[in-house]
């Protein structure tokens, strides 16, 4: 372990955020399907309170031990009543298969239980995205349910699986 650390988003992360948010290959696995301008993302960085209770979401940068930003982890759809949140992770394509994603999910889970006192995290992953399912399983998430026709890529629907971890 000790390949990464999680940190708050800084203004210097604008280009990384811009690159990830505007990668159309990622749109069918999330809820975004429109491009974001640098201005909008700059405004998000400037106005985010970094308080999951205020924003109902929290985004952190995954940084390798050399200090290079290699991806992003998110907590979203936060429910303070039920102490759960959805999680997502994107590692830059050039930085994949180095163990960053698994370690980032472990670190996010530690943060979620020890700092936020959450009871559970969950993720929705395309059923055919075997690499992502493997990452979640390595981070002790379990495949719970198949969500039929959950994801739409503009041409066809695809099933997804609900990955869940109790903390």
């Amino acid at each position: 372990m000790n390949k990464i650390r999680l940190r708050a988003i800084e203004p210097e992360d604008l280009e990384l955020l811009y690159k990830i948010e505007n990668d159309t290959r990622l749109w069918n696995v999330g809820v975004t399907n429109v491009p974001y301008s640098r201005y909008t993302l700059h405004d998000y960085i400037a106005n985010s309170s970094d308080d999951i209770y205020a924003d109902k979401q929290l985004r952190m940068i995954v940084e390798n031990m050399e200090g290079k930003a290699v991806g992003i982890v998110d907590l979203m759809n936060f429910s303070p009543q039920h102490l759960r949140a959805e999680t997502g992770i994107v590692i830059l394509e050039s930085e994949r298969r180095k163990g960053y994603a698994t370690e980032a999910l472990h670190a996010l889970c530690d943060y979620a239980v020890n700092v936020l006192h959450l009871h559970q995290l969950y993720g929705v992953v395309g059923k055919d995205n075997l690499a992502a399912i493997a990452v979640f399983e390595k981070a002790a998430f379990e495949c719970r349910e198949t969500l039929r026709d959950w994801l739409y890529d503009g041409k066809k629907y695809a099933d997804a699986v609900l990955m869940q971890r109790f903390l």
Side-chain angles (χ1 to χ4, degrees):
M1 296 284 233
N2 294 330
K3 294 180 181 183
I4 62 96
R5 72 181 190 102
L6 302 180
R7 64 166 175 79
I9 292 181
E10 299 288 348
E12 296 79 23
D13 298 314
L14 177 62
E15 289 306 313
L16 172 72
L17 201 57
Y18 183 80
K19 181 178 184 176
I20 289 173
E21 292 293 351
N22 290 298
D23 185 344
T24 57
R25 296 171 297 176
L26 300 173
W27 288 0
N28 65 329
V29 298
V31 296
T32 300
N33 63 356
V34 295
Y36 283 95
S37 69
R38 283 180 178 82
Y39 176 83
T40 298
L41 294 171
H42 179 273
D43 194 50
Y44 166 79
I45 292 169
N47 293 309
S48 175
S49 69
D50 291 328
D51 179 354
I52 196 167
Y53 285 91
D55 298 336
K56 302 294 185 255
Q57 66 177 359
L58 179 65
R59 176 169 272 185
M60 290 187 279
I61 297 296
V62 180
E63 188 175 79
N64 68 17
M65 296 316 287
E66 289 78 41
K68 178 183 177 186
V70 297
I72 296 176
V73 292
D74 290 303
L75 291 175
M76 58 224 157
N77 297 321
F78 170 61
S79 171
Q81 177 183 0
H82 301 294
L83 296 175
R84 69 174 174 242
E86 182 177 356
T87 186
I89 183 166
V90 175
I91 300 296
L92 293 172
E93 194 167 354
S94 62
E95 301 297 330
R96 292 181 186 160
R97 301 198 181 283
K98 297 179 181 179
Y100 295 147
T102 301
E103 192 167 327
L105 277 179
H106 278 293
L108 186 65
C109 289
D110 288 345
Y111 180 82
V113 71
N114 294 318
V115 177
L116 301 175
H117 308 292
L118 298 186
H119 172 63
Q120 65 176 293
L121 294 178
Y122 66 94
V124 176
V125 180
K127 193 172 184 177
D128 293 335
N129 191 344
L130 301 180
I133 291 170
V135 166
F136 273 90
E137 287 176 338
K138 286 178 191 173
F141 283 74
E142 295 179 13
C143 186
R144 294 290 183 187
E145 297 290 332
T146 297
L147 305 168
R148 290 199 49 205
D149 288 351
W150 198 258
L151 303 171
Y152 184 64
D153 67 4
K155 297 176 185 168
K156 64 182 183 328
Y157 286 93
D159 293 348
V161 291
L162 176 67
M163 305 296 296
Q164 187 177 32
R165 177 174 169 179
F166 293 96
L167 304 170

